[in-house]
Amino acid sequence: MSDIVTRKTKCPVISIANMKGGVGKSTIVIQATFAYSSDKYRFPDDKKILVVDMDPQGNSSTRLMRRTDLSQLEGTRTHELFNEDLETIKPVSTPCGADLIFSLQNDGSLDDIELRPMEVFLNPIKHIADLARSGRYAAIILDCPPSRSRKFTAALSCATDVIVPVEVSGFATDALSGIMESIEIAAEVNPVVQLTGVVINKFNSRSKRHKQERETLIRVLGDKVFDQPLVNRAPVDEANAEGIPVSKITSGAGRAAAKEVEIICNEIAQRCGIEILKGKKPKRSPASVKRD
Ligand SMILES: Nc1ncnc2c1ncn2[C@@H]1O[C@H](COP(=O)(O)OP(=O)(O)OP(=O)(O)O)[C@@H](O)[C@H]1O
Ligand SMILES: [Mg+2]
């Protein structure tokens, strides 16, 4: 199939996926997008991150846009990607600088994709591949819904990489076997898709049980488990609620959380092959930089 994205496009399409709810999919999408769009990261040709919100809850869309009512926003909405033909695809610009294909908060049109024939999941593949080949994006990150659905299958079928956030619990490995089955289905139309990594979220390093569960996951999954877990810290939730980078919360455990997000971003980049240039983004144009 020529319409699918390949690794040669140098724009990884990364689905952050788990059928289990509340494990931190949107948190990773939102906080990684803020981090990648900050002056800490520079991509070749000033490429950006594109986020595609495949979840009708619209959590990533509303937080990245920093408002709840997106109904008047002009630009392509995610449900439109499920049309076979699309004249143009116009992502919207978010305040942090990333681009976004958005869903509304409780997006009925995106919900209704489930009422269409199963094959509808094939339609976004070509559109996402076109975006990946456009040369505008360093990576495309998809926030997945917490359900086995046409949208979920579509998200895996568009992806080069699947990253799975899990909470340490006896059910984490159950969720992973479900994801593996879904990746196998997606691989029938998209042979490049792979499980790239598992991020342990809401980790408590002081809990013996958490440490044991982490060891168990590493025994089962080996180096698929990210070196850096994301610890359960109030500033992460606070930052999500306000739609701001956790690095902006300098009180309490904000700094530690921001550092973890940065290390996770580096791991995502390394595992998925996002090209990052060395050195921070210049804050001012070179002409305005004072010389001694
Ligand atoms: N490391 C963390 N520390 C503190 N709170 C967290 C952390 N990770 C996620 N949360 C909070 O947990 C809740 C669920 O996270 P999130 O919405 O990212 O999960 P999700 O997998 O996207 O959920 P859903 O399946 O409903 O889409 C949110 O309120 C979020 O702010
Ligand atoms: Mg979510």
Side-chain angles (χ1 to χ4, degrees):
M1 209 196 242
S2 62
D3 279 345
I4 61 164
V5 69
T6 68
R7 289 190 185 277
K8 277 195 205 140
T9 55
K10 299 213 168 157
C11 172
V13 179
I14 307 165
S15 282
I16 310 294
N18 193 335
M19 280 96 105
K20 203 163 153 41
V23 292
K25 298 179 285 295
S26 303
T27 298
I28 290 175
V29 171
I30 296 162
Q31 294 300 331
T33 300
F34 283 142
Y36 284 135
S37 306
S38 74
D39 61 9
K40 291 215 160 179
Y41 290 90
R42 221 154 50 92
F43 303 113
D45 307 317
D46 287 331
K47 287 180 191 174
K48 298 174 172 195
I49 298 293
L50 170 67
V51 173
V52 182
D53 192 350
M54 299 290 269
D55 186 355
Q57 296 179 92
N59 293 149
S60 294
S61 303
T62 52
R63 295 317 184 276
L64 289 170
M65 290 309 297
R66 300 206 65 197
R67 55 193 161 109
T68 43
D69 184 4
L70 303 181
S71 57
Q72 302 305 315
L73 201 60
E74 299 212 353
T76 303
R77 272 171 57 188
T78 307
H79 74 91
E80 296 174 60
L81 298 180
F82 288 84
N83 296 339
E84 200 173 340
D85 294 309
L86 254 180
E87 230 166 70
T88 50
I89 307 180
K90 280 197 190 141
V92 291
S93 296
T94 66
C96 74
D99 277 2
L100 170 71
I101 295 181
F102 68 104
S103 60
L104 303 180
Q105 189 175 44
N106 304 316
D107 194 317
S109 307
L110 190 53
D111 271 328
D112 288 352
I113 296 301
E114 302 312 310
L115 306 175
R116 289 171 56 185
M118 183 61 209
E119 305 75 64
V120 74
F121 85 89
L122 293 166
N123 292 340
I125 298 175
K126 179 185 167 308
H127 305 312
I128 298 283
D130 285 346
L131 288 160
R133 281 190 291 253
S134 70
R136 300 203 306 263
Y137 300 113
I140 300 177
I141 305 179
L142 281 71
D143 189 4
C144 292
S147 58
R148 202 193 290 262
S149 56
R150 285 153 180 66
K151 295 183 278 290
F152 181 81
T153 310
L156 301 193
S157 303
C158 293
T160 51
D161 298 274
V162 181
I163 291 181
V164 183
V166 295
E167 279 183 53
V168 277
S169 89
F171 298 124
T173 45
D174 299 16
L176 280 159
S177 63
I179 299 264
M180 289 314 295
E181 274 174 31
S182 300
I183 290 179
E184 277 167 31
I185 295 168
E188 287 172 21
V189 290
N190 169 18
V192 296
V193 64
Q194 64 177 21
L195 173 68
T196 299
V198 173
V199 182
I200 296 175
N201 188 20
K202 301 191 187 175
F203 188 65
N204 177 358
S205 55
R206 291 199 200 116
S207 154
K208 202 171 154 205
R209 190 182 65 80
H210 276 209
K211 281 194 203 154
Q212 282 169 347
E213 296 281 3
R214 180 163 186 259
E215 291 308 313
T216 307
L217 273 176
I218 291 171
R219 247 195 328 276
V220 177
L221 295 163
D223 61 8
K224 294 278 183 219
V225 179
F226 271 51
D227 293 334
Q228 178 66 58
L230 188 57
V231 172
N232 195 354
R233 299 183 194 273
V236 176
D237 196 34
E238 201 185 315
N240 286 343
E242 288 186 35
I244 57 170
V246 71
S247 58
K248 290 266 186 276
I249 300 179
T250 48
S251 57
R255 280 207 188 92
K259 191 71 206 161
E260 283 161 16
V261 168
E262 190 184 332
I263 297 170
I264 288 170
C265 283
N266 292 340
E267 249 191 283
I268 293 174
Q270 203 213 343
R271 286 169 182 262
C272 301
I274 303 176
E275 282 188 281
I276 291 175
L277 298 179
K278 288 222 169 81
K280 294 182 174 188
K281 276 191 196 103
K283 279 195 178 142
R284 288 174 288 181
S285 66
S288 68
V289 175
K290 269 192 190 164
R291 295 211 172 91
D292 292 329

Short mmCIF file of all heavy atoms in Angstrom, two decimals, residues 18-28 55 57 59 143-146 165 201-203 230-238 240-241, ligand 1:
data_model
loop_
_atom_site.label_atom_id
_atom_site.label_comp_id
_atom_site.label_asym_id
_atom_site.label_seq_id
_atom_site.Cartn_x
_atom_site.Cartn_y
_atom_site.Cartn_z
N ASN A 18 -3.79 3.29 25.08
CA ASN A 18 -4.12 2.23 26.03
C ASN A 18 -5.65 2.22 26.09
O ASN A 18 -6.26 3.29 26.19
CB ASN A 18 -3.52 2.51 27.41
CG ASN A 18 -3.58 1.30 28.33
OD1 ASN A 18 -4.44 0.43 28.16
ND2 ASN A 18 -2.69 1.23 29.29
N MET A 19 -6.25 1.04 26.01
CA MET A 19 -7.72 0.98 26.09
C MET A 19 -8.19 1.32 27.49
O MET A 19 -9.34 1.66 27.70
CB MET A 19 -8.23 -0.42 25.74
CG MET A 19 -8.30 -0.68 24.26
SD MET A 19 -6.82 -1.50 23.76
CE MET A 19 -7.41 -3.14 23.52
N LYS A 20 -7.30 1.18 28.44
CA LYS A 20 -7.66 1.50 29.82
C LYS A 20 -7.71 3.02 29.97
O LYS A 20 -6.87 3.73 29.42
CB LYS A 20 -6.59 0.91 30.74
CG LYS A 20 -7.05 0.66 32.13
CD LYS A 20 -6.07 -0.29 32.80
CE LYS A 20 -6.03 -0.11 34.29
NZ LYS A 20 -7.27 0.11 34.98
N GLY A 21 -8.71 3.49 30.71
CA GLY A 21 -8.88 4.94 30.88
C GLY A 21 -8.03 5.49 32.02
O GLY A 21 -7.65 4.76 32.94
N GLY A 22 -7.73 6.76 31.94
CA GLY A 22 -7.11 7.48 33.05
C GLY A 22 -5.67 7.13 33.35
O GLY A 22 -5.17 7.42 34.44
N VAL A 23 -4.96 6.51 32.39
CA VAL A 23 -3.58 6.07 32.67
C VAL A 23 -2.53 7.13 32.32
O VAL A 23 -1.35 6.96 32.60
CB VAL A 23 -3.23 4.76 31.90
CG1 VAL A 23 -4.02 3.58 32.45
CG2 VAL A 23 -3.47 4.93 30.41
N GLY A 24 -2.98 8.21 31.66
CA GLY A 24 -2.03 9.30 31.36
C GLY A 24 -1.73 9.50 29.88
O GLY A 24 -0.74 10.14 29.53
N LYS A 25 -2.61 8.99 29.00
CA LYS A 25 -2.39 9.18 27.56
C LYS A 25 -2.38 10.68 27.23
O LYS A 25 -1.42 11.20 26.64
CB LYS A 25 -3.51 8.50 26.74
CG LYS A 25 -3.59 7.00 26.92
CD LYS A 25 -4.71 6.39 26.11
CE LYS A 25 -6.11 6.63 26.66
NZ LYS A 25 -6.36 5.99 27.97
N SER A 26 -3.45 11.37 27.62
CA SER A 26 -3.54 12.79 27.27
C SER A 26 -2.45 13.60 27.98
O SER A 26 -1.91 14.54 27.41
CB SER A 26 -4.92 13.35 27.62
OG SER A 26 -5.91 12.61 26.96
N THR A 27 -2.13 13.20 29.21
CA THR A 27 -1.06 13.89 29.95
C THR A 27 0.24 13.85 29.16
O THR A 27 0.92 14.88 29.01
CB THR A 27 -0.84 13.21 31.32
OG1 THR A 27 -2.05 13.33 32.06
CG2 THR A 27 0.31 13.81 32.10
N ILE A 28 0.59 12.69 28.64
CA ILE A 28 1.84 12.57 27.89
C ILE A 28 1.77 13.37 26.59
O ILE A 28 2.70 14.09 26.23
CB ILE A 28 2.20 11.08 27.66
CG1 ILE A 28 2.60 10.48 29.02
CG2 ILE A 28 3.33 10.92 26.64
CD1 ILE A 28 2.87 9.01 29.01
N ASP A 55 -9.63 11.39 20.39
CA ASP A 55 -10.54 11.08 21.50
C ASP A 55 -11.68 12.11 21.56
O ASP A 55 -11.41 13.31 21.70
CB ASP A 55 -9.75 11.09 22.81
CG ASP A 55 -10.58 10.65 24.01
OD1 ASP A 55 -11.79 10.43 23.85
OD2 ASP A 55 -10.00 10.51 25.11
N GLN A 57 -13.43 12.95 23.87
CA GLN A 57 -13.46 13.76 25.09
C GLN A 57 -12.79 15.12 24.86
O GLN A 57 -13.05 16.08 25.58
CB GLN A 57 -12.72 13.05 26.24
CG GLN A 57 -13.34 11.75 26.67
CD GLN A 57 -12.53 11.09 27.79
OE1 GLN A 57 -12.79 11.30 28.96
NE2 GLN A 57 -11.54 10.29 27.42
N ASN A 59 -9.76 16.13 25.40
CA ASN A 59 -8.87 16.62 26.47
C ASN A 59 -7.61 17.32 25.93
O ASN A 59 -7.27 18.41 26.38
CB ASN A 59 -8.44 15.48 27.41
CG ASN A 59 -9.58 14.90 28.22
OD1 ASN A 59 -9.59 13.73 28.56
ND2 ASN A 59 -10.59 15.70 28.52
N ASP A 143 -3.46 11.30 20.21
CA ASP A 143 -4.04 10.94 21.51
C ASP A 143 -5.21 9.99 21.24
O ASP A 143 -6.15 10.33 20.51
CB ASP A 143 -4.54 12.21 22.22
CG ASP A 143 -4.95 11.93 23.67
OD1 ASP A 143 -4.79 10.78 24.14
OD2 ASP A 143 -5.44 12.87 24.34
N CYS A 144 -5.14 8.79 21.82
CA CYS A 144 -6.13 7.75 21.50
C CYS A 144 -7.26 7.71 22.53
O CYS A 144 -7.05 8.03 23.70
CB CYS A 144 -5.46 6.38 21.49
SG CYS A 144 -4.31 6.20 20.14
N PRO A 145 -8.45 7.27 22.09
CA PRO A 145 -9.55 7.11 23.04
C PRO A 145 -9.37 5.84 23.86
O PRO A 145 -8.71 4.90 23.41
CB PRO A 145 -10.78 6.98 22.12
CG PRO A 145 -10.24 6.44 20.85
CD PRO A 145 -8.81 6.92 20.72
N PRO A 146 -9.97 5.81 25.06
CA PRO A 146 -9.80 4.62 25.91
C PRO A 146 -10.80 3.52 25.57
O PRO A 146 -11.56 3.09 26.42
CB PRO A 146 -10.06 5.18 27.32
CG PRO A 146 -11.01 6.30 27.09
CD PRO A 146 -10.72 6.87 25.74
N PRO A 165 1.16 4.24 27.88
CA PRO A 165 1.30 4.56 29.30
C PRO A 165 0.53 3.53 30.13
O PRO A 165 -0.58 3.14 29.75
CB PRO A 165 0.63 5.94 29.44
CG PRO A 165 0.07 6.28 28.10
CD PRO A 165 0.16 5.10 27.22
N ASN A 201 3.38 5.27 34.54
CA ASN A 201 2.89 6.57 35.02
C ASN A 201 2.31 6.43 36.43
O ASN A 201 1.96 5.35 36.87
CB ASN A 201 1.82 7.11 34.06
CG ASN A 201 1.42 8.54 34.42
OD1 ASN A 201 2.14 9.26 35.11
ND2 ASN A 201 0.25 8.95 33.97
N LYS A 202 2.24 7.57 37.09
CA LYS A 202 1.73 7.66 38.47
C LYS A 202 2.53 6.74 39.39
O LYS A 202 2.00 6.07 40.26
CB LYS A 202 0.23 7.36 38.53
CG LYS A 202 -0.59 8.31 37.66
CD LYS A 202 -2.06 8.18 37.90
CE LYS A 202 -2.85 9.01 36.90
NZ LYS A 202 -4.27 8.85 36.97
N PHE A 203 3.84 6.73 39.12
CA PHE A 203 4.74 5.85 39.87
C PHE A 203 5.03 6.47 41.23
O PHE A 203 5.11 7.69 41.36
CB PHE A 203 6.04 5.69 39.08
CG PHE A 203 6.98 4.67 39.63
CD1 PHE A 203 6.63 3.33 39.66
CD2 PHE A 203 8.22 5.04 40.12
CE1 PHE A 203 7.49 2.38 40.17
CE2 PHE A 203 9.10 4.09 40.63
CZ PHE A 203 8.73 2.76 40.65
N LEU A 230 7.00 8.27 35.03
CA LEU A 230 6.45 9.58 35.42
C LEU A 230 5.81 9.38 36.80
O LEU A 230 4.92 8.54 36.96
CB LEU A 230 5.41 10.03 34.38
CG LEU A 230 4.85 11.44 34.51
CD1 LEU A 230 5.96 12.50 34.49
CD2 LEU A 230 3.88 11.73 33.35
N VAL A 231 6.34 10.15 37.74
CA VAL A 231 5.90 9.97 39.13
C VAL A 231 4.56 10.67 39.35
O VAL A 231 4.25 11.66 38.67
CB VAL A 231 7.01 10.52 40.08
CG1 VAL A 231 6.55 10.55 41.53
CG2 VAL A 231 8.28 9.67 39.93
N ASN A 232 3.78 10.13 40.25
CA ASN A 232 2.50 10.76 40.61
C ASN A 232 2.78 12.03 41.41
O ASN A 232 3.24 11.95 42.54
CB ASN A 232 1.69 9.76 41.45
CG ASN A 232 0.24 10.16 41.56
OD1 ASN A 232 -0.15 11.24 41.11
ND2 ASN A 232 -0.56 9.30 42.14
N ARG A 233 2.56 13.17 40.78
CA ARG A 233 2.87 14.43 41.45
C ARG A 233 1.76 15.43 41.16
O ARG A 233 1.37 15.62 39.98
CB ARG A 233 4.18 15.02 40.92
CG ARG A 233 5.42 14.14 41.13
CD ARG A 233 6.62 14.91 40.61
NE ARG A 233 7.80 14.09 40.46
CZ ARG A 233 8.68 13.83 41.42
NH1 ARG A 233 8.48 14.30 42.63
NH2 ARG A 233 9.74 13.11 41.17
N ALA A 234 1.31 16.10 42.21
CA ALA A 234 0.19 17.04 42.08
C ALA A 234 0.40 18.08 40.97
O ALA A 234 -0.55 18.41 40.24
CB ALA A 234 -0.08 17.71 43.42
N PRO A 235 1.61 18.63 40.78
CA PRO A 235 1.76 19.66 39.74
C PRO A 235 1.42 19.17 38.32
O PRO A 235 1.04 19.98 37.47
CB PRO A 235 3.24 20.05 39.83
CG PRO A 235 3.64 19.69 41.22
CD PRO A 235 2.85 18.47 41.56
N VAL A 236 1.55 17.86 38.08
CA VAL A 236 1.21 17.35 36.74
C VAL A 236 -0.28 17.55 36.50
O VAL A 236 -0.71 18.07 35.46
CB VAL A 236 1.59 15.85 36.60
CG1 VAL A 236 1.14 15.29 35.25
CG2 VAL A 236 3.09 15.64 36.80
N ASP A 237 -1.08 17.18 37.49
CA ASP A 237 -2.53 17.32 37.38
C ASP A 237 -2.93 18.80 37.29
O ASP A 237 -3.77 19.19 36.48
CB ASP A 237 -3.17 16.64 38.59
CG ASP A 237 -4.65 16.39 38.39
OD1 ASP A 237 -5.05 16.12 37.24
OD2 ASP A 237 -5.41 16.49 39.37
N GLU A 238 -2.25 19.60 38.12
CA GLU A 238 -2.53 21.04 38.14
C GLU A 238 -2.22 21.66 36.77
O GLU A 238 -3.02 22.43 36.22
CB GLU A 238 -1.61 21.66 39.20
CG GLU A 238 -2.04 22.99 39.75
CD GLU A 238 -0.97 23.52 40.70
OE1 GLU A 238 -0.46 22.75 41.54
OE2 GLU A 238 -0.63 24.70 40.59
N ASN A 240 -2.06 20.17 33.86
CA ASN A 240 -3.04 19.70 32.87
C ASN A 240 -4.33 20.49 32.98
O ASN A 240 -4.90 20.91 31.97
CB ASN A 240 -3.38 18.22 33.10
CG ASN A 240 -2.27 17.30 32.65
OD1 ASN A 240 -1.39 17.70 31.91
ND2 ASN A 240 -2.31 16.06 33.11
N ALA A 241 -4.79 20.68 34.22
CA ALA A 241 -6.07 21.36 34.43
C ALA A 241 -6.01 22.79 33.85
O ALA A 241 -6.97 23.27 33.26
CB ALA A 241 -6.42 21.40 35.91
N1 LIG B 1 1.97 11.62 36.83
C1 LIG B 1 0.83 12.15 37.22
N2 LIG B 1 0.72 12.78 38.42
C2 LIG B 1 -0.46 13.31 38.83
N3 LIG B 1 -1.60 13.27 38.10
C3 LIG B 1 -1.56 12.65 36.91
C4 LIG B 1 -0.36 12.07 36.39
N4 LIG B 1 -0.64 11.54 35.18
C5 LIG B 1 -1.94 11.79 34.94
N5 LIG B 1 -2.50 12.45 35.96
C6 LIG B 1 -3.92 12.86 36.09
O1 LIG B 1 -4.71 11.69 36.00
C7 LIG B 1 -5.91 11.94 35.28
C8 LIG B 1 -5.97 11.01 34.07
O2 LIG B 1 -4.91 11.32 33.19
P1 LIG B 1 -5.16 11.44 31.62
O3 LIG B 1 -6.41 12.21 31.35
O4 LIG B 1 -3.90 11.94 31.02
O5 LIG B 1 -5.39 9.92 31.28
P2 LIG B 1 -5.96 9.31 29.92
O6 LIG B 1 -5.34 7.97 29.78
O7 LIG B 1 -5.77 10.27 28.79
O8 LIG B 1 -7.50 9.19 30.27
P3 LIG B 1 -8.69 8.81 29.24
O9 LIG B 1 -8.56 7.36 29.04
O10 LIG B 1 -9.94 9.22 29.95
O11 LIG B 1 -8.46 9.60 27.99
C9 LIG B 1 -5.86 13.41 34.88
O12 LIG B 1 -6.58 14.14 35.85
C10 LIG B 1 -4.38 13.74 34.95
O13 LIG B 1 -4.13 15.14 35.21
#
